[in-house]
Amino acid sequence: MKWCFGIIFLIALISCDNITSSKNTLLFLNPTSEETGVSFQNTLNPSDNLNILDYLYYYNGGGTAVG
């Protein structure tokens, strides 16, 4: 039974990526609006009815997602 845990630990250790490697590769890129064709601007106009004190989720959803 001990050898089973040892093998699992060894496999997990070998499969991990070296954190101290000198790879400077990016996983995600931040494309510009010209590249994607998506132009978005989140303009908030606070008022007496819609403000951060009365409506706690006023600033949530400030981004956009495209699937």
Side-chain angles (χ1 to χ4, degrees), residues 9-31:
F9 178 74
L10 185 63
I11 291 172
L13 188 64
I14 291 172
S15 65
C16 291
D17 190 19
N18 188 2
I19 296 173
T20 61
S21 67
S22 61
K23 296 178 188 176
N24 290 330
T25 59
L26 297 175
L27 294 177
F28 299 100
L29 298 176
N30 190 9

Side-chain angles (χ1 to χ4, degrees), residues 45-62:
N45 298 316
S47 65
D48 291 337
N49 294 331
L50 289 174
N51 58 47
I52 191 67
L53 297 176
D54 294 331
Y55 186 59
L56 295 176
Y57 304 109
Y58 187 66
Y59 291 105
N60 288 359

